Amino acid sequence: MKESCNGNVVKVAGLSKSYKLYDSSKDRLKEALHPFKKKYYKEFYALRDVSFELPKGQVYGIIGFNGSGKSTLLKIICGVTKPTSGEVEVWGRVSALLELGAGFNPEFTGRQNVFFSGILAGFSRSEMKLRYNDIIAFADIGDFVEQPVKSYSSGMVMRLAFSVAIHIDPDILVIDEALAVGDAKFRHKCMARIRVIKDKCTILFVSHDMSAILSLCDRALWLDRGKLVMSGEPKEIARLYTEATYEGTEKVFDRQAEPERETLTTEISKLASESTLPEEASVDSFGTGKAKIISSRLVGVNGEIKKNVFCGDQLSLIFSLQLKEGLKHPIVGFGVADRLGLMVMGFHDLISSEPELELFIPGNVIEVKYSFVWPDLNSGTYAFTVAIADGILEDHKQEHWIHEAFVVNCIREKPLHGMFGMEYSLDLHQTLKE
Amino acid sequence: MIIELRGLYRAFFEFVRLLFDRRQLIWEMARRDLVQKYVGSRVGLLWTVIHPLSLIFIFWFVFGFGLKHKPVANVPFSAWLTAGMAAWFSFSGIVAESTGVIVSNPHLIKKINFPSQILPVVKIVSSMVNHLVFLILLVILLLVNGVPITFFALQIIYYYCCLVFLALGISWLTSAINVFFRDVCQIVQLVLQIMFWATPIIWDIKIMPEKVQMFLRLNPIHYIIRGYRESFIYYRPFWLHLWGGIYFWCVTLFLLIVGALVFRRLKGHFPDVL
């Protein structure tokens, strides 16, 4: 291992990777051997001018939409592909889980593949013999080690690959969403092991699972369309990233069309100021029609539309209502359901205790606002159902009910069992024995 | 210009040195290559004997028995033929299999950081078993026919090295270009077919007029085939062909360097093309 400089294990400077889109592979050959380097291709940038340094002994999360260049970046760091321009310096042995079972020969048994992977990484047969039992014990796939890998389930391939990757003393461990196929128990085991080995090695980790990024990583890098949008605290990046997930999804795939673009952070602030109405196109609604909910939206303190909510956020649910006939006792209510459709909470209340207000003249558009603090709910998506009714709280007729009018995304940093969190303290008391 | 040449020299040297550094990997892969070929079949390694034996038998039957080919240099035709075929089939086997070796291992090239230049070397190492069987059959044939084995037979080591280096240079070239231009595989097969008949393997070069012989000697494979026969049958030392040797090594080193440099240049593109 070469001596690392300034404690960095990976240094990437001005890295670009352009895929040359050739009309045929003949053109590619002609160009590679052309004495005057004539160009035969159209360029597509998978990575554009990415620079960062990774100090030793930390866990880095890389996030980004599909096609943002994450895998290309990892492939370059692992040395599978070469960058088009820019510099990559990597100090130490890289162990990679780029794709499920990459480097395994499906015709050979688990045992043979373990040995082969080790020798490929530069170990001798006898060195691998010493590690073999540990690898098999960690993978825990039973008698399947003696079976050809082609007979494995994807979970087993992943277990074996992960086990080999961590047992060949990597200085840098690269994991590209490979853990996703493991069951909860094994994933837990992997996470625990990553926490153990991170003292000795640097870990690069690509995932779409925000809770894994938040719980595991010391720093996060956000890539979008081949550019490094930002790097820093995982918490901050996860928040901005999830916001962008809901706003910009449709733009992700037309990446070839735009040549240059400002960074996404500025776009997010732009989006926040735009007040788009929640879509109502495909929602279920019913009611007598005496009153209509024109729109309903969840806004923050500055009146910005909220798509992502955190525990403790000060929120307002605003109803825009149009009354076709006078209502005696208008009631507005809303319910919040989790992703399984289970109603987590629901409220309804009289708009006013005084029934005969000026506001309730037919044809008028009125706005009603519920203000509340977002409770400590588990991460996930929550759907708001909104309704207007007439009557008393105990018995009323629905005038307009919109089922799951819009959806918000709740982010809780610490994973939680169940639906709700609460404040608690944990104390330790020891009684000494005589 | 000089700096560029020095750069190329260093590139070539590093490219070749990696083969030595990864010798364990080469060894392991060659083992796997053999295991993959023969394990699982009923008679296993016996196939390495059956193949050359049947080939020798067919050629003996057609030319020796059917067409009544006369003994060459007082040695039965079948033994004389086997000496030439041992070299030829080793050479053609390496080149034919190596040409497709990059294309047939995308899981190594695309998915992991893999030193792909070792793949043709792996083919060479694993083909040694076949070659050894061929040589053993040859020795048996000679002894059965009362032809003694002398110290000249040790020259086979030198001629086998010649064979390996020639085959390696060509294999690097063809396997790299085959990634971009898949027809290369077919072209190589075709050229090998033609070369088999155009090289004095099953016929003696002496049946040709002197002028044509000069031309035939330009074929570097002829140097190897003649070498094999001289080691076992004619008992002539290799230094008798000084100019032939110099010519052979010029051609071989040229192919080896060009093959290595072309492979090195194209290597970075493999993961993107496959």
Side-chain angles (χ1 to χ4, degrees):
Chain A
M1 181 183 162
K2 275 187 283 178
E3 202 52 48
S4 60
C5 81
N6 309 326
N8 291 330
V9 282
V10 179
K11 192 177 164 201
V12 170
L15 184 76
S16 294
K17 172 77 184 178
S18 71
Y19 280 98
K20 296 168 179 175
L21 305 176
Y22 294 88
D23 294 331
S24 72
S25 51
K26 210 161 55 184
D27 283 350
R28 190 190 279 268
L29 177 69
K30 271 197 276 182
E31 186 194 274
L33 297 175
H34 200 281
F36 306 110
K37 315 228 153 134
K38 186 174 180 272
K39 288 188 174 184
Y40 282 92
Y41 54 85
K42 294 188 284 276
E43 264 186 335
F44 159 67
Y45 277 90
L47 284 176
R48 200 189 282 264
D49 197 22
V50 172
S51 306
F52 57 86
E53 290 176 2
L54 304 183
K56 195 179 159 82
Q58 286 194 320
V59 184
Y60 296 89
I62 301 179
I63 55 174
F65 303 125
N66 289 340
S68 58
K70 303 185 296 286
S71 299
T72 309
L73 179 63
L74 293 190
K75 273 188 175 175
I76 290 171
I77 290 173
C78 297
V80 180
T81 47
K82 282 184 188 168
T84 312
S85 62
E87 279 175 45
V88 193
E89 283 181 90
V90 176
W91 290 272
R93 190 200 303 275
V94 182
S95 180
L97 287 166
L98 283 186
E99 252 169 81
L100 194 60
F104 279 0
N105 186 334
E107 298 295 326
F108 283 90
T109 66
R111 173 198 287 272
Q112 288 167 322
N113 273 304
V114 166
F115 276 94
F116 182 71
S117 302
I119 289 163
L120 192 60
F123 288 92
S124 69
R125 248 193 126 69
S126 53
E127 282 173 304
M128 284 312 288
K129 268 185 192 139
L130 297 175
R131 289 174 163 81
Y132 181 73
N133 286 337
D134 287 343
I135 291 171
I136 294 309
F138 188 85
D140 193 22
I141 55 171
D143 296 335
F144 271 92
V145 265
E146 303 298 345
Q147 295 294 316
V149 166
K150 65 182 174 188
S151 69
Y152 285 23
S153 71
S154 49
M156 281 188 233
V157 175
M158 193 279 300
R159 277 162 172 259
L160 197 62
F162 186 84
S163 188
V164 171
I166 58 170
H167 281 96
I168 54 173
D169 304 343
D171 297 302
I172 299 159
L173 178 63
V174 174
I175 305 169
D176 188 0
E177 291 177 285
L179 295 179
V181 291
D183 57 27
K185 202 175 145 200
F186 189 72
R187 208 149 65 202
H188 184 80
K189 202 165 151 187
C190 293
M191 293 294 179
R193 183 55 75 101
I194 287 172
R195 286 195 185 90
V196 171
I197 61 172
K198 79 179 197 184
D199 296 337
K200 285 179 289 178
C201 92
T202 306
I203 296 158
L204 264 167
F205 180 63
V206 164
S207 181
H208 287 130
D209 180 2
M210 279 307 132
S211 62
I213 295 273
L214 287 169
S215 66
L216 203 62
C217 300
D218 303 309
R219 269 182 71 197
L221 307 170
W222 178 8
L223 287 177
D224 186 63
R225 272 164 270 193
K227 284 182 171 177
L228 186 65
V229 179
M230 57 190 302
S231 67
E233 279 288 301
K235 200 169 127 184
E236 178 68 6
I237 288 180
R239 192 177 66 77
L240 292 170
Y241 173 73
T242 7
E243 274 177 28
T245 310
Y246 284 89
E247 304 297 349
T249 33
E250 73 283 355
K251 293 176 200 158
V252 173
F253 290 97
D254 64 339
R255 50 186 189 174
Q256 266 189 60
E258 302 165 74
E260 281 293 333
R261 222 175 55 91
E262 68 273 43
T263 55
L264 223 85
T265 28
T266 55
E267 238 181 45
I268 289 159
S269 53
K270 213 165 67 197
L271 280 167
S273 61
E274 285 167 21
S275 63
T276 42
L277 286 177
E279 320 130 59
E280 275 184 70
S282 61
V283 292
D284 257 352
S285 68
F286 66 90
T288 59
K290 280 190 200 163
K292 201 180 163 218
I293 302 171
I294 301 166
S295 77
S296 58
R297 57 198 185 270
L298 192 67
V299 299
V301 274
N302 301 321
E304 75 280 12
I305 298 273
K306 282 287 209 182
K307 289 274 178 180
N308 292 294
V309 291
F310 292 83
C311 166
D313 277 1
Q314 186 71 51
L315 301 172
S316 299
L317 177 64
I318 298 173
F319 292 82
S320 288
L321 307 168
Q322 190 172 38
L323 275 60
K324 300 220 166 104
E325 288 171 39
L327 299 182
K328 274 183 199 149
H329 303 286
I331 296 170
V332 287
F334 70 96
V336 179
D338 69 6
R339 67 191 167 83
L340 302 172
L342 192 68
M343 196 66 87
V344 179
M345 50 193 184
F347 305 93
H348 61 282
D349 213 338
L350 288 163
I351 289 175
S352 167
S353 44
E354 312 238 350
E356 306 301 333
L357 277 175
E358 288 277 311
L359 288 168
F360 295 107
I361 296 164
N364 266 10
V365 175
I366 56 168
E367 277 200 345
V368 182
K369 185 162 98 178
Y370 268 103
S371 292
F372 55 93
V373 175
W374 188 254
D376 192 6
L377 285 177
N378 204 352
S379 293
T381 52
Y382 291 89
F384 275 71
T385 296
V386 292
I388 179 161
D390 191 17
I392 55 169
L393 288 179
E394 290 75 25
D395 180 24
H396 47 256
K397 213 169 13 180
Q398 297 295 345
E399 306 297 348
H400 191 197
W401 166 292
I402 304 175
H403 188 66
E404 303 197 342
F406 60 92
V407 172
V408 296
N409 187 43
C410 172
I411 301 160
R412 191 178 196 277
E413 279 136 32
K414 266 171 93 176
L416 179 71
H417 293 290
M419 289 182 190
F420 279 93
M422 61 180 183
E423 281 187 17
Y424 62 86
S425 63
L426 184 63
D427 300 309
L428 175 71
H429 183 72
Q430 271 189 81
T431 320
L432 292 173
K433 262 191 180 169
E434 286 296 312
Chain B
M1 189 64 187
I2 289 167
I3 293 166
E4 204 165 289
L5 276 179
R6 196 177 292 164
L8 284 179
Y9 166 75
R10 188 177 301 153
F12 173 74
F13 185 70
E14 276 180 18
F15 187 83
V16 174
R17 204 190 60 187
L18 185 133
L19 299 177
F20 180 75
D21 290 345
R22 304 312 301 266
R23 59 193 182 279
Q24 269 198 319
L25 183 64
I26 293 171
W27 185 245
E28 188 67 22
M29 289 194 74
R31 252 183 42 157
R32 282 172 64 142
D33 197 39
L34 278 175
V35 168
Q36 206 158 20
K37 231 182 240 168
Y38 298 114
V39 170
S41 59
R42 275 289 162 89
V43 288
L45 274 173
L46 212 60
W47 281 115
T48 57
V49 183
I50 296 171
H51 279 303
L53 209 57
S54 61
L55 265 173
I56 295 165
F57 177 76
I58 289 167
F59 279 95
W60 168 79
F61 186 81
V62 174
F63 293 96
F65 183 75
L67 297 174
K68 303 266 186 273
H69 201 293
K70 287 194 184 77
V72 186
N74 296 322
V75 171
F77 179 70
S78 61
W80 183 85
L81 180 70
T82 307
M85 291 218 300
W88 171 259
F89 282 109
S90 179
F91 172 81
S92 69
I94 292 166
V95 173
E97 285 201 41
S98 294
T99 302
V101 85
I102 305 292
V103 177
S104 62
N105 282 294
H107 63 288
L108 294 175
I109 310 288
K110 276 175 85 88
K111 305 291 162 76
I112 51 177
N113 183 7
F114 186 80
S116 44
Q117 67 260 47
I118 73 164
L119 287 173
V121 183
V122 168
K123 284 287 172 206
I124 289 172
V125 175
S126 69
S127 76
M128 281 180 184
V129 174
N130 250 315
H131 191 55
L132 202 65
V133 170
F134 229 121
L135 289 181
I136 291 167
L137 286 176
L138 173 64
V139 169
I140 293 170
L141 258 172
L142 289 169
L143 292 177
V144 163
N145 287 297
V147 183
I149 305 295
T150 64
F151 278 114
F152 285 107
L154 288 176
Q155 289 190 112
I156 209 73
I157 297 165
Y158 163 74
Y159 283 115
Y160 185 66
C161 286
C162 296
L163 189 156
V164 162
F165 283 112
L166 181 65
L168 183 59
I170 295 171
S171 296
W172 271 335
L173 200 64
T174 56
S175 62
I177 296 173
N178 186 47
V179 175
F180 302 90
F181 193 53
R182 302 282 164 102
D183 311 51
V184 168
C185 223
Q186 300 299 324
I187 293 169
V188 165
Q189 299 277 357
L190 190 71
V191 170
L192 285 174
Q193 281 279 345
I194 295 167
M195 290 296 280
F196 175 70
W197 298 100
T199 312
I201 299 165
I202 59 165
W203 47 273
D204 195 355
I205 193 166
K206 298 212 173 67
I207 64 170
M208 290 288 172
E210 189 60 37
K211 266 187 188 165
V212 183
Q213 280 191 35
M214 287 288 287
F215 178 70
L216 286 170
R217 285 199 185 95
L218 290 178
N219 179 353
I221 303 159
H222 173 244
Y223 178 75
I224 300 168
I225 306 247
R226 184 182 56 196
Y228 268 62
R229 289 197 172 127
E230 288 183 349
S231 305
F232 286 107
I233 293 162
Y234 297 105
Y235 313 121
R236 258 185 248 149
F238 67 89
W239 54 81
L240 282 183
H241 308 287
L242 183 63
W243 287 108
I246 288 169
Y247 168 75
F248 173 85
W249 280 107
C250 284
V251 172
T252 299
L253 284 178
F254 174 76
L255 283 173
L256 198 66
I257 290 166
V258 168
L261 292 179
V262 166
F263 194 101
R264 189 179 154 272
R265 184 108 173 236
L266 297 179
K267 195 183 161 191
H269 294 273
F270 294 164
D272 301 344
V273 186
L274 283 176

